[in-house]
Every structure is written in structure tokens, then in C-alpha cells.
Amino acid sequence: MDSQIELTKEEEKVRLLLLDTSNYIGDVEEITKPELRFCGGWVRDRLLGLSSKDIDVGISSMTGYRFGESMERYWATPEGRKEYGRDVLGKITKIKANPEKSKHLETATLKVFGLDVDLVNLRKEIYKENSRIPDTEFGSPKVDAQRRDATINALFYNLTTKTIEDFTGTGLKDMELKIIRTPLSPYQTFKDDPLRILRCIRFASKLGYRIDAEAEQSMSEASIKKRLRDMELISRERIGSEVEKMLKGSHPHTALSFIDRLGLYDTIFTDPTNLESISVDTANWSLAYDQLWKIAKAATTDDPTSSALCSIESILLRDDREKYLAWLLGALVPWAKITKTTGARSSPPIAAIVVREGLKAENKVIKVVENAVLHQTEIKSFKDSFIDQGIPEISPIKRKHAFLSRGSLGMAMRRWGSDWRSSVLFSILVDVTGAGGEPARQIVVAQYASWLRNLQSLELLEVCQIKPLVDGKRLQKALNIEVGPWMKKGLEMALEWQLQNPNDNNPENGVAEVLLRKEELRLS
């Protein structure tokens, strides 16, 4: 692997401006001139041939915000303006220390030549036994490198010499070997900050690297897992953020397989507020995320079920949001059959509690999860009814359901909500995990694909966006009855008629349907 980095035009301008600022600090402000380095992710990505718009600058002897102020002063001098022109620097923003969000030190961020630049001093971190929030002090480049989560993230680019510095001694080699290794003892690294476990998994899955065997062993240690689950040590917001980045990344399947193989499921996808929470069986979980990976990659696969997979993928995974929700729901399949917490009559499904308390997801995401679990049985029933149409009437397993009609099916989909696609995807994955062998799983996939193609042929995929023809005012006038509890049922009747008769746009015919079924409204 090439250990040299050729800077872009903008990166070279940033480098020169930073060095000129350092000289200005030493010559004019008469302070020890700081050494400057590009750090961490930028170095890793550029060595991999990837572009990066974010640059972390490590400063040897002063805080990032103080250096930023000096940069502003230098740039305001006649020499600075002549050399670099106007509109070079954006506003400097001070980022205060926030240990709960893994910001252990005050930093500064600003735009420089269109690039996002973070200024931070090199530091040493000293951890206490019962805290992941370290005491910090200025540190050498080697000490700063050793405090990082992985050797591949501990490389520096020296702005003066324009060379790569590998103070851990293994960073460049580990990049060649495609391995995630901690700079110091993995047990101590993860004990100090358990969040590093998730970061290592995220980088391994993102880059297609393996994790060092000793690091994997430490990740699976009961004492380390206990610290990862301890909300006094690490906030669930930070865990949720790392999981979200994994699932939105390029290889979410790999990330989930790491979590599964390392026995971290009930540490990450859990309700941390309930120490006596119900245990969950993950024995068949891999069937769910493996199947989801096949669906997500349907267009590039030679799988014998590729036609069915392509139908599911094109209908259910239209954009990045739906893909993220799919992977999140795939992660929650082990909780699918456990809908209530013990002793709680009206509590949401445990899967929803896990994303609410364990991952601190936003309310919209929690609602998607809750709907997916609650509607899973009904979705399966609709699918089964469609498949059973081909079974002879005399068959003892023939099911007779009213909800084969377009109207009843459309009404059900509206109940499932605008994210019904996510609920259907969840139902597929749940059914796959309980299907038995591979032939049975292929049948499940083919059946759902056939059902979804039927929804498509019925033009119901956008049913949640259909505007009702009949409103409450029109219905009240027709029945000449005061508004009451009957109204909701009446409007539903009119809408079901509308969905059953998509080519009839006359609202009076919808009202007529309600009048025909007036007895069902139970009017006094």
C-alpha cells in the first residue's frame, strides 16, 4: 500500500495556511510555535484513496480554539490577506467539552477553503475506574495515538515534513493486512471506553476488515459487556448513534454478523432500564439478516429466487430511509414474538422499548417499529389469504377471508400507516426465521413477492396518499344526524367503497354505500 498522500489543491492551501499561522504564533505572538498534524480518519481515508471533506488538525501545544483565534489574527494581517485573499475562513465555532457525547476536550471547528476543519490539541487521557470520562492533559503525538480506538485511526500526516507518522508502529501494516487492532491492550481499551467496541465493529464492517482475535475476545468478556450496558458509563444516545451509522453504512449485514458472533446482541439491542428484562433467543437471527442482505442485493445476485427478491427490493426498499428502517427492523427480529413486558397491560412491544430506551431513537422510528410488530400477524394473514386463493374450496385448509377485496386490503394498508412497506418487510423476515430449511424459506419469499406484485397490480402501493372523496360535512348532510361516534365508521365505509371502485369518482355513490349499510352504524 502506498504510504504517501498527494494533497488536493484545497488541502495544500489549508496546510500552508496552518503552517503560516504556526509561524505567526511563534514570531509575532511570541508563543512556542505548535507542531501541526492531520489526524485520524482523514489520514486513513486518503491512504485508501478516498476523498474526505473533514480534516482533524492535531496541535501540539495549545487548544484548538486558541489556535483558531490566532489563525483569524494572522489572516487579517496584510500579509495574510495578500497570500490567501478574502472569504477564506468561515466563522470559528467553539465546541465545548461534552463527555456524554464523547467530546472529552474543547475543540474548534470552521470552514477553510471549503473544507470542514476541526482544531484540537494532542492529548493524554487518564481514566478512572468507574467512568468512561477521562481526565485530559496535553500529550505527545505517541500518547495521543495510543489513546485512539484502532491503529488505523491513529496515523498522522505531518504538515511540515509531508510524511505519514505511525506512532503505534502497526497502523500502516494493519491497513495492509486489513485488520482492526487496538493500539494498547484491547481489554484496557474497551474497559476505559466501551463505546470503542462499537466503533471498531463499525470500521471493520465499513472497510471490510477483520477484527484482531484478541480484541474480539475482549469484546466478548462478560465484564466488558457489563460496562457497555452500564448507562452510568456510556449513554444510550451514543450507542444508538453508532448503531445508526452501522445500519446506514455500506455493509450493515457485516456489522450485525459481528454483533451476533461476538455475543453482543443482548448488550446492544436491549432495554437497559429493566435489569430483569426478558432474555431473547438469537439462534435463528442470522436467517433474518442474511435474507435481508439477499433482498438488498437482489439486482446483482444469481440467487435462484432472484425474481422474487427483485420484486421485494423494488417495492419495499425505495430509498435510503426505507433501507435503514429495514436493517433496524432486521436487527429486532429476535424480539418479534415478545410483544408485552411482564406485568404491563398496555405497554408497547419490547422491540419498540428497545429502540426507545436502548438506542434512543426518534419518535417516528419508534412508531415504525411498534407498528411493524403489532401488524405482523395481520400482514401475514392477508398474504396467506391471497396465496390460499389457489387452494380448492373442498380443502380443509382453505381460508375464507373478506379481506381479499381491494377495498378491505386498501383499508388495512392505511391502518398499517405510511410506512407499511417497513411492516411488510419485517413480516417477511419474521416468517423466514420460522420457516425451517432453505426450501421453505424460498417459498416464504416467493409468496410475499407474489402478494406484493398483486398489490402493485391493484395500484395500492400509494394507498396512504389517496384523498377521500367523501368528507364529514357531506355525510352528515346526507344522513341528517348530528355528528357523533358514528362518523368515523361512516367515513371508513365511504373510503372502503372508494378503494373498491377506483374508477368511480362520484362522491354521491360513496354516500349511497353508507346509506345502504346504515344499520352497521348503530344509530339510535
Side-chain angles (χ1 to χ4, degrees):
M1 184 187 66
D2 189 359
S3 60
Q4 299 297 317
I5 294 177
E6 184 176 346
L7 301 184
T8 66
K9 184 184 297 185
E10 290 76 18
E11 290 167 344
E12 177 63 13
K13 288 180 180 178
V14 171
R15 184 186 77 88
L16 293 175
L17 176 56
L18 291 169
L19 289 176
D20 284 344
T21 299
S22 180
N23 290 329
Y24 173 81
I25 290 170
D27 297 341
V28 177
E29 297 188 344
E30 297 183 344
I31 305 172
T32 301
K33 184 170 71 171
E35 296 177 2
L36 303 173
R37 294 170 172 85
F38 291 160
C39 308
W42 179 90
V43 182
R44 179 200 66 230
D45 287 347
R46 297 292 277 108
L47 285 173
L48 291 170
L50 305 174
S51 62
S52 179
K53 294 293 184 181
D54 300 312
I55 302 178
D56 289 349
V57 180
I59 305 163
S60 64
S61 56
M62 62 194 310
T63 67
Y65 189 72
R66 189 176 177 189
F67 183 90
E69 290 179 318
S70 294
M71 186 186 298
E72 283 187 322
R73 287 192 291 269
Y74 165 70
W75 177 57
T77 65
E79 178 185 354
R81 289 299 174 90
K82 180 180 178 181
E83 186 69 26
Y84 296 102
R86 297 179 180 274
D87 300 324
V88 171
L89 298 182
K91 180 182 178 181
I92 298 178
T93 302
K94 181 188 290 188
I95 308 298
K96 295 182 178 181
N98 188 345
E100 287 304 314
K101 294 189 176 181
S102 289
K103 286 287 185 181
H104 301 311
L105 203 66
E106 177 183 281
T107 63
T109 182
L110 72 162
K111 286 273 190 182
V112 185
F113 295 108
L115 300 176
D116 293 313
V117 175
D118 283 354
L119 305 171
V120 60
N121 60 270
L122 301 178
R123 63 191 186 271
K124 177 180 181 180
E125 295 179 345
I126 304 170
Y127 287 86
K128 299 174 182 177
E129 180 64 26
N130 294 316
S131 175
R132 63 173 286 269
I133 302 171
D135 293 328
T136 59
E137 58 187 49
F138 284 97
S140 67
K142 183 175 182 177
V143 168
D144 188 275
Q146 289 174 334
R147 70 167 181 83
R148 295 176 181 262
D149 49 24
T151 58
I152 66 167
N153 294 332
L155 298 167
F156 296 119
Y157 176 86
N158 189 302
L159 269 59
T160 301
T161 64
K162 301 182 71 172
T163 58
I164 303 299
E165 296 173 329
D166 184 2
F167 290 102
T168 69
T170 62
L172 291 171
K173 180 180 179 182
D174 288 341
M175 288 192 70
E176 290 183 0
L177 296 174
K178 296 186 177 182
I179 186 170
I180 300 294
R181 192 193 317 272
T182 58
L184 299 176
S185 155
Y187 184 87
Q188 191 62 47
T189 297
F190 301 140
K191 181 174 179 290
D192 287 343
D193 187 352
L195 190 66
R196 290 169 176 161
I197 294 173
L198 300 187
R199 287 177 56 83
C200 286
I201 290 174
R202 175 161 62 88
F203 287 119
S205 61
K206 173 185 176 181
L207 301 173
Y209 285 17
R210 63 186 175 89
I211 299 176
D212 170 63
E214 186 181 354
E216 285 196 351
Q217 182 178 352
S218 295
M219 289 177 178
S220 301
E221 288 276 353
S223 59
I224 296 297
K225 290 164 65 175
K226 182 179 179 181
R227 290 178 70 82
L228 179 59
R229 186 169 176 165
D230 190 341
M231 291 193 297
E232 294 296 321
L233 292 174
I234 179 170
S235 73
R236 299 308 294 195
E237 286 86 355
R238 291 300 299 149
I239 289 178
S241 176
E242 287 296 326
V243 169
E244 182 176 345
K245 289 175 184 177
M246 291 180 199
L247 301 184
K248 287 183 175 179
S250 55
H251 293 89
H253 172 269
T254 306
L256 294 183
S257 65
F258 271 123
I259 291 171
D260 191 8
R261 182 167 57 80
L262 296 172
L264 295 170
Y265 187 88
D266 59 0
T267 303
I268 298 169
F269 299 106
T270 187
D271 174 13
T273 64
N274 183 5
L275 297 179
E276 303 299 325
S277 60
I278 302 170
S279 61
V280 62
D281 182 6
T282 59
N284 292 329
W285 181 37
S286 62
L287 298 176
Y289 59 75
D290 285 348
Q291 186 64 65
L292 181 52
W293 183 245
K294 291 178 182 178
I295 294 171
K297 295 298 179 183
T300 59
T301 184
D302 57 358
D303 189 289
T305 60
S306 59
S307 176
L309 295 172
C310 285
S311 294
I312 294 172
E313 188 271 339
S314 64
I315 294 173
L316 301 186
L317 302 179
R318 301 172 300 170
D319 53 36
D320 289 342
R321 178 178 178 273
E322 288 180 347
K323 291 173 184 176
Y324 162 65
L325 290 174
W327 283 107
L328 178 61
L329 289 167
L332 297 168
V333 165
W335 290 111
K337 300 300 182 182
I338 308 174
T339 56
K340 299 291 182 182
T341 53
T342 54
R345 300 180 66 183
S346 60
S347 63
I350 291 186
I353 297 175
V354 167
V355 294
R356 185 186 71 197
E357 302 296 339
L359 303 180
K360 295 297 181 181
E362 59 182 16
N363 288 336
K364 289 182 179 179
V365 173
I366 297 170
K367 190 63 178 177
V368 170
V369 173
E370 184 172 350
N371 284 340
V373 177
L374 294 179
H375 296 308
Q376 191 267 322
T377 300
E378 185 181 27
I379 289 170
K380 184 179 186 302
S381 294
F382 272 95
K383 183 270 296 181
D384 288 344
S385 295
F386 171 75
I387 298 301
D388 287 353
Q389 288 182 100
I391 300 175
E393 198 70 40
I394 59 173
S395 170
I397 63 170
K398 177 69 177 179
R399 300 189 187 120
K400 296 179 181 179
H401 289 296
F403 43 67
L404 287 177
S405 70
R406 186 182 192 274
S408 58
L409 180 53
M411 292 299 290
M413 293 172 70
R414 288 175 70 95
R415 286 197 304 275
W416 302 339
S418 59
D419 286 308
W420 67 265
R421 288 174 172 84
S422 297
S423 295
V424 171
L425 193 284
F426 183 70
S427 187
I428 294 172
L429 299 181
V430 171
D431 281 3
V432 162
T433 60
E438 180 60 24
R441 292 194 287 273
Q442 290 187 12
I443 290 173
V444 169
V445 171
Q447 288 179 345
Y448 273 98
S450 179
W451 180 60
L452 286 169
R453 286 192 289 263
N454 180 60
L455 298 185
Q456 191 172 44
S457 68
L458 291 173
E459 299 183 351
L460 283 173
L461 298 186
E462 305 306 325
V463 67
C464 293
Q465 279 69 56
I466 292 177
K467 183 178 179 180
L469 291 174
V470 178
D471 59 22
K473 185 176 181 181
R474 182 186 295 270
L475 197 58
Q476 181 188 10
K477 182 178 179 181
L479 271 69
N480 193 27
I481 302 173
E482 290 186 7
V483 175
W486 65 269
M487 178 66 76
K488 182 176 182 292
K489 176 67 174 177
L491 290 174
E492 287 176 351
M493 288 179 181
L495 181 55
E496 184 175 355
W497 169 88
Q498 178 183 339
L499 294 174
Q500 187 64 31
N501 301 276
N503 297 320
D504 190 338
N505 295 318
N506 186 349
E508 293 304 323
N509 290 335
V511 173
E513 173 70 12
V514 178
L515 292 174
L516 189 65
R517 299 170 57 186
K518 185 177 178 181
E519 290 185 2
E520 296 178 38
L521 298 178
R522 297 181 179 179
L523 300 172
S524 56

